[in-house]
Amino acid sequence: MSTISMRKTTVVAAGLAVAASLVLTGCKDGNEEVTPAAPAAPSAPASQPAGQPSGYASAPAGSPSAGGYDGSTGAPAAGGSGAVAKSGQAFKIGEAATVPFSYGSNKGGQIALTVTGIEAGTPADLAPLNVADKVKGQTPFYIRYTVKNTGNTDLSFASVGHIKGLLDGGSESDVLLTIGKFEKCPNDSLPQGFTNGKTQTGCAIALAPTGAKVTGAEYWGDPYNNLSSPAQKGLTWK
């Protein structure tokens, strides 16, 4: 069992008259994100697989066995081509990481994940979310990224989550998750028909204390959140 560490994650409903929820991101047996159910979220499209949320960041389901890879070596991912990123591998912003990806019933997929930039916002950006009391003294930074399907699995309606910021000192930033539309940092689920070669942009919100900066990003989705032996580490971009 790993040592428990906590980072604050604020979950808000963008554009809805709903009070913000405050939860903690804990490092459990898979750095599992603790996210409350979406309040009054719009109904999912009829063609969306059951149990898969739409419109906000969420943890891709699955286990190392689902993708056939535990993150420890640059082995080819099932259903795709090329070597996947190794545990703890570091990339420059703009470089793509080949990542095994499973979500719900969509198993054995593969994506190319690229952090394309990190932009500083202002506290005023968050005014429409009505979270001033929860993010007081913090500045939002927007982690921009692209997702390309490089495998043979249809990833329709999947959500690519588990992206967090890294402060200039190397520690993790707090995280702000939105439910619904937030124009400053849109992060929609992958569209229907997201098959090989399709690409979509995404965005994650990191929060830095006043005077600090978010200078890097980390992806800690499966299998890089696997704490079994050997314990895995997330992929980073700076």
Side-chain angles (χ1 to χ4, degrees):
M1 181 66 67
S2 64
T3 301
I4 300 296
S5 65
M6 294 290 182
R7 295 301 302 173
K8 185 170 68 175
T9 300
T10 303
V11 183
V12 298
L16 300 177
V18 180
S21 301
L22 182 66
V23 296
L24 292 174
T25 298
C27 296
K28 297 171 65 180
D29 276 339
N31 281 347
E32 184 180 355
E33 242 176 16
V34 182
T35 306
S43 299
S47 57
Q48 180 170 342
Q52 294 185 8
S54 176
Y56 64 97
S58 174
S63 63
S65 59
Y69 172 64
D70 67 2
S72 59
T73 62
S81 59
V84 301
K86 297 179 181 180
S87 167
Q89 189 168 348
F91 298 86
K92 293 181 180 179
I93 290 177
E95 289 184 334
T98 300
V99 176
F101 187 83
S102 296
Y103 189 89
S105 61
N106 300 328
K107 306 293 185 181
Q110 179 179 280
I111 60 174
L113 179 63
T114 308
V115 172
T116 57
I118 301 174
E119 302 171 9
T122 67
D125 293 346
L126 306 180
L129 303 178
N130 299 315
V131 291
D133 58 328
K134 296 178 173 61
V135 297
K136 185 177 181 180
Q138 300 196 83
T139 300
F141 284 77
Y142 306 120
I143 301 171
R144 312 283 182 185
Y145 60 90
T146 61
V147 178
K148 181 178 181 179
N149 189 339
T150 56
N152 299 321
T153 300
D154 186 343
L155 298 177
S156 296
F157 309 116
S159 291
V160 180
H162 284 109
I163 295 176
K164 58 188 175 185
L166 299 175
L167 301 177
D168 42 12
S171 59
E172 299 174 10
S173 71
D174 288 344
V175 177
L176 182 66
L177 303 181
T178 58
I179 300 171
K181 292 288 186 181
F182 179 53
E183 297 301 329
K184 288 284 186 179
C185 192
N187 185 30
D188 297 324
S189 298
L190 301 178
Q192 184 175 9
F194 197 78
T195 52
N196 182 273
K198 297 294 180 67
T199 301
Q200 177 163 298
T201 59
C203 181
I205 307 172
L207 299 173
T210 301
K213 295 181 179 180
V214 174
T215 57
E218 180 177 352
Y219 174 73
W220 56 288
D222 181 66
Y224 306 103
N225 56 14
N226 177 19
L227 299 184
S228 301
S229 180
Q232 304 304 303
K233 297 179 180 179
L235 308 179
T236 59
W237 284 262
K238 285 189 176 181

